[in-house]
Amino acid sequence: MRFFHHISMKMVHHLIAVRVLASLLIVCCALGASGAAHAAEPTSDVKLYPHVFSYRPAKGGRHRVMVVGDFNSWSRDATPMMERSDEDYSVSVEMTEGVHLYKFMVDGNWANDPHSDAALEESDGFGGKNSAVLIGLDARRFPPAPPGRIVEALLCHDPTDVRNRNVVTPTLLRLGFRAQAGNIRAAAIVWTTDNVSWHEQEMYSVSQLFGVENFEGLASVDQGPVSYFFRLIDGPTTAYLAGGKLYSSLTESQANTYRCAMQPGFETPDWAKHAVWYQIFPERFRNGDPSNDPPNTEPWTSKWFSKLPGESGEFYHDIWKRRYGGDFQGIIAALPYLRSLGINCIYLNPIFKAEELHKYDTSDYRHVDDHFGFAGDIEQIHGETDDPATWQWTKTDRLFLQFLADAHRQGFKVIIDGVFNHVGMANYAFQDVKKNGRDSVYAGWFEITSWKPFRWTGWGGSPDGALPEFRKDSKLGLASGPRELVMNITRRWLAPDGNPSRGVDGFRLDACENIPRPFWVDWRKLVKSIKPDAYLSGEIWSLAPHWLDGQTFDATMQYPFAEAMESFFVDQTRSISPSLFAAQLQRLTYVYPFQVSLVQMNLLDSHDTDRWASRFLNPDLPFNGKSRIEDNNPDYNIAKPDEQMWTRMKQSLVGQMTYVGAPMIYYGDEAGMWSPSDPSDREPMIWKDLEPYDDPQVTFKRDVFDQYQRLIAIHRKIEALQLGFAHTVLADDASGVYAFSRDLNRDHICVVVNRSDQAHTELLRFGPPDRDIALINWLDPAEARLGISSPQQADGRPTITEIDRAAPAAIARNGTVSVSLKPWGAMILSASDVTTR
């Protein structure tokens, strides 16, 4: 199907070309169907299309030219362009369908593409434009579809494309097809497992762009294989897409179905689909044992932006030396607090021995940092080498294993930061190389650029950087020495002493794109062979379908989700409309296999960004671009948000906790913390039992905690919010009201937000078309009661239940419901018999 784009661009001006293209499209779909009709399920591949970028520098001579865009996470060195004989530079890149933004970097300077599609360009956030290219079919020039006639020319279901056929689990099947925009008014999946009983599942429009509309739906089946086709309706016309052809007869369609074996190309951990994540920065979460405090440990409640005893008074000089003594004794003591919030999954920033407070400068992967447990215990270990047989357990290591046991007993999963791209200056292997040069047994481990004088490459390509990078290998990913070390370290912490039940439940992989793919492919195989349900999440800041294909990671920290949320809920002059927000969320969801989308980490902030609450005081900034006072924005407003901003912040959480994916909270957001980015996003956690703090503004904000607690309880109760499909119900750009539905089997959950300082009443298409049903608003305490589990209940979490005889929030009458929303208001609506966990 890679020829679609070229044909449409050349031939759509002529009606005869439309007929030719229609036959080509239908033949292509038919071939895909017949070829896969009775075969094994195809792999869950996302279709990629080759595109050639070309650029001619203004000046002659040799240049270093790179293409940098959303398809390579805006990496400045990932995609070099080769010089051609005619002084042009070019490179072919495989890309997903849709609009991609990019620029060229020529000798370190940004340049736009003169051949960019100007209609698609977007602001780069710095006063310029990003170049843009449309990959895939452009059907804007097709003639409008005649009313009541289903146009075959753009109608296609490709079973080899994961966006058209995606076996999510052995019992969940996502199906889709493409049509001319506006041509299909209603659609459904019609399926059977026995050729006797036929079932229907409504389909929804999930995108409409450049003349093409995509419909998708999620069918829940008892078993496979499944035979299916599509019912299409346009006004008085009903037709059926089956086996790659369009039929008017239901009987013919049932005789020419598509067939699916219901064997997933890959699976993601089931528990991760039900996760609510909490990110902990260990040094700043809770100090449970002052006896292990490192030097320069300050009082937990001291004022952040202040000169503390022994400091120079220059904040951005002093702050890097401060410590606050967070440790595993404190984390263990706080597990009941996390249960009271409703959390069931914990992501820990780096825990291994390191010099800096953030621990991304690993000096020894074999041991947990002793200041997180028992200071000085590593020095008591002797005789260790790179051979795992010599490795021992320190008291702090055993404390960490005890933490894992306690967390597992209390119903938590725990993943840790895997920082395998680079180490710290104090790392024993790097120190040996510095000392012994070429004669070091570790000489081949690092990117050494000069032996005399001794020079190396640090993280991000920095010369002589503080985080020396491991040497890369095109075939292995990492050089053999560090590769073997990482594999052994993985075994150690995933299955301590060979027992997977005692180990971590997965990893978050730092700077993972810096390590070539072959390493991650082999590493995933190792991890899954030890613990098949281990969860692997990569630090990737852009769309990443080429990484999330079942061969490397299960998910990413989904920063594009945070960016879309910021553009809609936070920004003012640069805010996006409900319709654009809906389109962005749909793209994030359906660019991936659905088993990936369900386990994506839907964060709003992290240790690498300013805190979510502070963004409401600093709208209209480039995403994570001007949030550091010390270097890129001295005018960043560090004041505490006012009550209206907290109200808006609490509203935004409704979107985070209900959309497709696993919501993730950065420690302290639920307590009412606010700040610019690093280092201030790493302040000590606000604890109610430690009040008062030296700064009187710093208090535990109970109303924010309560909002998180209720929303987490709702998310964990309603199965459709964890596994359901998502489609847009309303995107009213005039009023600012946005509504979407999560759909699973017969359950439908409607989430409505009013991003406006005015009250609004809206009519939504929601509910069964043939009867009336009363709806519950789970956000309303008058309709749903939050229950708090006893602290003695080891794995208890807050629950939420419908209040008997409560007046319904609304009544859906024959498929429509009228809702009234307060300024900055929100609702989560469902029938009372919704499926719960």
Side-chain angles (χ1 to χ4, degrees):
M1 292 173 57
R2 293 179 177 178
F3 57 82
F4 288 173
H5 174 68
H6 304 289
I7 290 179
S8 65
M9 291 297 293
K10 294 178 180 179
M11 303 173 69
V12 294
H13 298 295
H14 309 287
L15 180 59
I16 187 171
V18 174
R19 292 173 181 163
V20 171
L21 183 58
S23 64
L24 286 171
L25 289 167
I26 293 298
V27 166
C28 179
C29 287
L31 288 172
S34 61
H38 298 286
E41 182 64 18
T43 58
S44 297
D45 292 330
V46 175
K47 280 288 194 200
L48 297 176
Y49 300 82
H51 176 77
V52 176
F53 290 96
S54 297
Y55 183 74
R56 173 172 290 187
K59 296 181 180 180
R62 302 200 65 177
H63 301 273
R64 186 172 186 267
V65 183
M66 320 292 290
V67 61
V68 183
D70 58 19
F71 43 83
N72 63 8
S73 300
W74 294 94
S75 170
R76 301 184 183 197
D77 54 14
T79 314
M81 300 176 68
M82 302 299 294
E83 184 178 8
R84 304 303 178 192
S85 58
D86 57 1
E87 297 186 351
D88 282 344
Y89 290 74
S90 65
V91 65
S92 179
V93 179
E94 289 199 331
M95 306 164 70
T96 58
E97 277 189 320
V99 176
H100 291 276
L101 302 177
Y102 66 98
K103 280 190 177 182
F104 297 120
M105 178 158 279
V106 184
D107 300 328
N109 299 308
W110 292 111
N112 285 95
D113 186 352
H115 304 295
S116 167
D117 189 331
L120 307 178
E121 292 176 352
E122 295 182 13
S123 168
D124 62 9
F126 296 92
K129 292 275 191 178
N130 285 318
S131 299
V133 61
L134 172 63
I135 302 299
L137 181 65
D138 184 350
R140 286 173 287 184
R141 298 179 183 178
F142 272 69
R149 175 186 165 193
I150 295 176
V151 178
E152 297 181 43
L154 292 175
L155 191 63
C156 186
H157 167 67
D158 179 2
T160 67
D161 188 333
V162 71
R163 291 165 302 176
N164 278 196
R165 187 161 90 188
N166 171 202
V167 182
V168 182
T169 71
T171 60
L172 276 180
L173 175 64
R174 186 184 77 175
L175 293 171
F177 66 86
R178 183 183 70 200
Q180 184 170 7
N183 186 215
I184 306 299
R185 301 304 175 190
I189 304 166
V190 184
W191 59 272
T192 182
T193 58
D194 58 11
N195 291 319
V196 177
S197 301
W198 292 86
H199 312 271
E200 285 202 16
Q201 175 63 55
E202 186 176 3
M203 302 181 75
Y204 306 97
S205 172
V206 298
S207 68
Q208 189 172 143
L209 193 66
F210 308 118
V212 173
E213 189 168 11
N214 289 287
F215 288 80
E216 295 195 16
L218 186 68
S220 181
V221 305
D222 294 330
Q223 61 183 6
V226 173
S227 298
Y228 67 91
F229 59 91
F230 303 100
R231 185 196 304 275
L232 314 177
I233 299 174
D234 180 32
T237 301
T238 297
Y240 307 92
L241 179 60
K245 295 183 179 180
L246 194 64
Y247 296 94
S248 59
S249 164
L250 176 60
T251 302
E252 283 188 285
S253 303
Q254 291 174 330
N256 293 278
T257 59
Y258 300 96
R259 189 172 173 83
C260 179
M262 292 305 294
Q263 298 170 0
F266 69 96
E267 296 187 64
T268 53
D270 183 68
W271 62 262
K273 301 178 180 72
H274 310 286
V276 179
W277 290 99
Y278 192 89
Q279 179 185 353
I280 292 178
F281 196 85
E283 216 278 328
R284 301 294 165 82
F285 187 58
R286 190 170 179 98
N287 188 340
D289 183 0
S291 71
N292 63 27
D293 288 354
N296 302 315
T297 296
E298 304 294 348
W300 197 269
T301 58
S302 56
K303 191 172 183 178
W304 182 254
F305 287 107
S306 65
K307 179 180 180 295
L308 299 180
E311 293 185 342
S312 69
E314 295 184 15
F315 180 78
Y316 289 108
H317 172 270
D318 300 326
I319 192 61
W320 311 107
K321 300 177 183 178
R322 282 189 197 172
R323 300 293 184 269
Y324 287 88
D327 49 34
F328 275 107
Q329 290 90 334
I331 296 175
I332 291 171
L335 289 178
Y337 166 82
L338 296 180
R339 284 196 289 110
S340 75
L341 183 59
I343 300 300
N344 61 0
C345 296
I346 297 170
Y347 152 44
L348 295 170
N349 282 103
I351 63 171
F352 300 130
K353 181 62 179 176
E355 293 185 313
E356 297 295 334
L357 66 96
H358 51 65
K359 308 302 177 188
Y360 282 97
D361 58 326
T362 310
S363 59
D364 195 336
Y365 294 102
R366 297 170 297 192
H367 300 294
V368 175
D369 195 284
D370 53 328
H371 290 296
F372 289 162
F374 299 95
D377 64 359
I378 296 178
E379 284 72 21
Q380 300 171 20
I381 297 292
H382 302 285
E384 288 187 326
T385 68
D386 293 322
D387 181 357
T390 68
W391 295 354
Q392 303 163 57
W393 299 106
T394 66
K395 287 183 66 177
T396 301
D397 296 339
R398 294 187 185 281
L399 176 65
F400 174 66
L401 297 181
Q402 183 58 53
F403 155 72
L404 289 177
D406 288 351
H408 289 157
R409 180 176 55 84
Q410 296 184 49
F412 294 98
K413 297 287 188 178
V414 180
I415 68 169
I416 59 175
D417 227 318
V419 188
F420 302 143
N421 174 69
H422 52 264
V423 296
M425 295 287 287
N427 181 270
Y428 66 89
F430 186 72
Q431 285 297 310
D432 193 273
V433 176
K434 285 188 69 177
K435 178 182 178 181
N436 298 308
R438 294 179 186 272
D439 295 330
S440 171
V441 295
Y442 304 108
W445 282 38
F446 299 95
E447 297 285 357
I448 306 302
T449 56
S450 170
W451 291 104
K452 291 183 179 181
F454 184 66
R455 307 292 298 273
W456 66 92
T457 299
W459 170 70
S462 57
D464 303 339
L467 301 173
E469 284 200 334
F470 281 136
R471 186 178 176 185
K472 307 306 189 293
D473 181 281
S474 59
K475 293 184 178 179
L476 298 176
L478 283 178
S480 60
R483 184 181 189 275
E484 184 177 1
L485 171 68
V486 171
M487 296 296 186
N488 287 331
I489 288 297
T490 300
R491 295 183 182 96
R492 176 175 174 83
W493 296 108
L494 198 61
D497 295 327
N499 186 349
S501 69
R502 297 180 58 219
V504 299
D505 300 292
F507 297 85
R508 176 266 191 188
L509 291 316
D510 184 69
C512 57
E513 291 177 289
N514 292 9
I515 301 177
R517 180 183 175 92
F519 169 79
W520 295 120
V521 172
D522 290 343
W523 184 77
R524 177 188 177 92
K525 292 176 182 176
L526 171 69
V527 170
K528 299 292 184 175
S529 71
I530 297 171
K531 184 174 286 192
D533 70 342
Y535 175 80
L536 308 176
S537 179
E539 185 204 12
I540 300 176
W541 286 67
S542 60
L543 288 174
H546 51 296
W547 284 104
L548 301 181
D549 59 357
Q551 297 186 61
T552 57
F553 315 122
D554 296 311
T556 65
M557 295 179 72
Q558 193 165 213
Y559 284 102
F561 176 80
E563 184 172 5
M565 291 282 287
E566 179 179 307
S567 297
F568 181 71
F569 286 106
V570 174
D571 287 343
Q572 299 293 292
T573 60
R574 296 177 57 213
S575 65
I576 60 175
S577 64
S579 57
L580 183 53
F581 181 51
Q584 290 185 0
L585 291 185
Q586 297 277 53
R587 184 188 183 204
L588 287 177
T589 303
Y590 300 116
V591 73
Y592 300 114
F594 201 54
Q595 61 265 44
V596 168
S597 296
L598 292 174
V599 300
Q600 286 276 65
M601 284 178 153
N602 279 356
L603 74 165
L604 298 176
D605 53 1
S606 74
H607 63 293
D608 284 328
T609 73
D610 47 346
R611 284 193 178 268
W612 184 243
S614 279
R615 295 188 209 171
F616 289 86
L617 202 61
N618 294 273
D620 306 316
L621 298 178
F623 179 71
N624 202 40
K626 292 186 177 182
S627 56
R628 288 167 56 98
I629 293 175
E630 65 270 31
D631 52 29
N632 61 30
N633 188 5
D635 297 324
Y636 190 96
N637 193 337
I638 64 173
K640 186 175 185 176
D642 62 29
E643 284 308 310
Q644 186 189 82
M645 292 172 186
W646 286 114
T647 296
R648 292 172 54 209
M649 182 264 204
K650 288 186 289 185
Q651 179 201 49
S652 71
L653 303 179
V654 176
Q656 182 196 24
M657 292 290 169
T658 55
Y659 202 72
V660 177
M664 186 168 88
I665 303 165
Y666 184 44
Y667 83 94
D669 283 353
E670 81 287 356
M673 294 181 71
W674 76 97
S675 75
S677 190
D678 179 24
S680 296
D681 57 355
R682 303 169 186 185
E683 291 183 54
M685 169 72 176
I686 299 176
W687 292 103
K688 180 68 175 176
D689 64 327
L690 297 183
E691 291 180 350
Y693 282 65
D694 291 355
D695 184 346
Q697 291 191 99
V698 176
T699 58
F700 187 89
K701 196 160 176 53
R702 185 72 206 192
D703 62 311
V704 175
F705 180 90
D706 290 346
Q707 178 77 338
Y708 272 102
Q709 188 182 54
R710 174 171 282 267
L711 284 167
I712 293 170
I714 295 169
H715 177 91
R716 297 187 70 243
K717 178 184 181 68
I718 301 175
E719 193 170 42
L721 294 181
Q722 300 160 48
L723 301 177
F725 191 80
H727 79 275
T728 302
V729 172
L730 176 73
D732 189 332
D733 292 348
S735 67
V737 175
Y738 167 59
F740 65 90
S741 178
R742 295 294 303 277
D743 314 295
L744 185 66
N745 300 325
R746 296 179 178 273
D747 291 336
H748 305 277
I749 317 300
C750 188
V751 181
V752 196
V753 293
N754 173 24
R755 188 201 59 180
S756 167
D757 60 359
Q758 303 293 316
H760 287 287
T761 298
E762 298 280 359
L763 190 66
L764 307 178
R765 183 179 175 271
F766 183 74
D770 56 350
R771 57 192 173 93
D772 297 348
I773 58 169
L775 301 177
I776 306 166
N777 177 14
W778 293 95
L779 280 176
D780 189 345
E783 298 183 47
R785 179 184 297 112
L786 192 68
I788 308 301
S789 62
S790 167
Q792 284 71 44
Q793 187 179 348
D795 61 350
R797 303 291 190 283
T799 59
I800 193 162
T801 55
E802 177 188 0
I803 296 176
D804 292 339
R805 302 193 193 92
I811 298 178
R813 302 185 185 279
N814 298 320
T816 59
V817 58
S818 177
V819 296
S820 296
L821 297 110
K822 298 176 181 178
W824 316 115
M827 305 176 83
I828 301 175
L829 303 170
S830 81
S832 60
D833 60 352
V834 66
T835 303
T836 60
R837 286 181 59 84

